[in-house]
Each structure stands twice: as C-alpha cells, then as structure tokens.
Amino acid sequence: MMTNIHVSTAQESQYVEMKICKQPRTEVAKKVTTRMVVESLVDQLIASNLISNERLFDQILYNKDIIWIQNENFNGHLFAKANITDQLKTKTNDFMMYMPTNPIVYDVNGEHYQLITRIDSTRAKPNLERLSQAPKAILSAARVNDLLCSIVMRFYEVYLEDLSRVVHKNKQLINFVEREYHQFLNAVKELNDNRLNWHPRGKGHELLLELIDNLQLLKSRPGKVLMDFSHSHSYVVVESSYPIYKKRQKTIQA
C-alpha cells in the first residue's frame, strides 16, 4: 500500500507576517473631523502591502519619532494598547488622547490597539526636520499637518531602505520612488515658504492633502503599473519591499 507523506524540504522558508486588522465600527461624527485624514492615511498604508506589517508597526504606528504620548506610567503613539488608553489624557483639560467612546480599534496579532484621535486644529505647518530630532513626549493634541507629513516621510524612507535590501534590486522602481519622495519634500518646502493658513479648514492643509493624494506610491499595491513621467513612455511595476515565503510541501511516496 502506498502512503503519501508530506514533509517540508530543507530549502523551504516560512515568513510569518504580523497581522494588523481594523475592527468593524460605525462612524458617529456628524462632520469631517481632523483625525479622519490620519485614520484614512493609516488604513491606506496598511492596505498597501508595500512594507511588512512589522516594519509598519515599528517605524510608524508605534514609533516615538512619529508621535509619543506619555504620562507617569504609560506610553502611547499613533497606536496605544487599548487597555491603557483611558490613562492617556491631556495635561490641561483632561481630554483622553484616544477616543473613549466608539474607539478606532486595530487588532495587532490578537492584541487590541486604538488609533490616536486627539488631533486638533493647531495652525502649524509641517516640520520636515522633526524625524531627525530627538523625540519628545507630549500629552496634548497632535498637530495634524506635522503628523501627516511625518507618516508619509517615514513610509517612503522605510520602503526605500527595504527595497535596497532585496537581492534582485529593481533599480528603476527605486529611482522612481526616490524621485517621487523628493518631489513631495520640495513641494512641502514650497508650501511652507508661503503665507498659508494651516488650520484644517485652511488652504495650507488643503494643499498638503492634495500633495499626499497625488503620490502614486501610496495608492499602489504590489504588481500595479505606474507611469514614470520623468521618462517618456516609461513605466515601473510596484513590488513589495519584503519577501513572502510560502510553505511548500513535497509529496513523497512510501
């Protein structure tokens, strides 16, 4: 009698991806609020599959360089562990930094985190140097323009860094992403040089959102074809910046 035995070969590798899943919720806000643009950007980056979830979590969602909320006992970032969010309050008026009712919850490998929602209308332009400065703990509302810009910048930096580590480098894609990133930085610098209203209902904020919305990479998925306007009739194919190893099984008859 022949029996099929499934064994893993020595050449196999298995990549176990961190899972980040947004939990179902019903939006209760009657008007557009400042944190919605941050929520939308976070969801877009999670869905992109361009960098690994581990890198997304470590470098953006739970990174002091992006935002760091701290009181005497607890830390929070873009994400904070759901079981401590009621402890993270503003110093001046005791507002919770994370939504106390109808929170925005993400499941990260089985543990619940909440997205920061205390993002106010501070009239502040994006600080392009902030990621290179030592992070400082805050316990007040986040500045929306600064936060959006920092998230985008770090995403591009991580994607480029990880792409450069791929064995068979796609130099055309790397060059495309580098150009788009530098074009974004230059455009933000140009906005900063103008006397604009950076309130969330102001022109500066509106133009920053347009710049982010026009970034081709952020709307991409692995396999998407993008037009490279720096070269006539040229295109690039978007790739994930991390390897995915699927466990294969070899059938041996015995």
Side-chain angles (χ1 to χ4, degrees), residues 20-104:
I20 303 177
C21 302
K22 189 176 187 181
Q23 299 302 290
R25 66 184 296 275
T26 301
E27 181 56 62
V28 296
K30 295 180 180 179
K31 60 182 180 180
V32 175
T33 61
T34 312
R35 55 97 185 146
M36 286 181 179
V37 294
V38 175
E39 178 185 3
S40 177
L41 180 58
V42 166
D43 289 346
Q44 191 173 358
L45 299 188
I46 292 173
S48 74
N49 289 321
L50 295 181
I51 64 176
S52 71
N53 283 342
E54 284 89 348
R55 293 279 279 165
L56 184 64
F57 187 81
D58 292 340
Q59 295 297 315
I60 296 177
L61 304 178
Y62 207 74
N63 185 355
K64 287 183 178 181
D65 292 343
I66 303 297
I67 190 169
W68 177 23
I69 297 100
Q70 182 187 51
N71 65 11
E72 291 77 9
N73 302 306
F74 300 107
N75 289 300
H77 306 279
L78 272 179
F79 277 15
K81 292 183 178 180
N83 60 357
I84 58 97
T85 52
D86 59 345
Q87 307 293 321
L88 295 167
K89 301 177 181 179
T90 56
K91 291 181 179 178
T92 53
N93 49 21
D94 225 27
F95 277 111
M96 291 185 181
M97 297 290 287
Y98 301 84
M99 196 177 287
T101 59
N102 195 28
I104 305 167

Side-chain angles (χ1 to χ4, degrees), residues 34 120-126 143-146 149 187-209 211:
T34 312
D120 77 355
S121 58
T122 303
R123 292 170 172 83
K125 63 178 66 175
R143 295 179 173 184
V144 62
N145 299 307
D146 198 26
C149 203
V188 174
K189 288 177 184 175
E190 188 175 334
L191 290 182
N192 282 350
D193 291 339
N194 297 323
R195 296 180 64 85
L196 297 170
N197 181 357
W198 287 98
H199 186 280
R201 290 182 294 277
K203 191 64 175 178
H205 178 72
E206 180 184 322
L207 291 173
L208 177 62
L209 291 181
L211 287 179

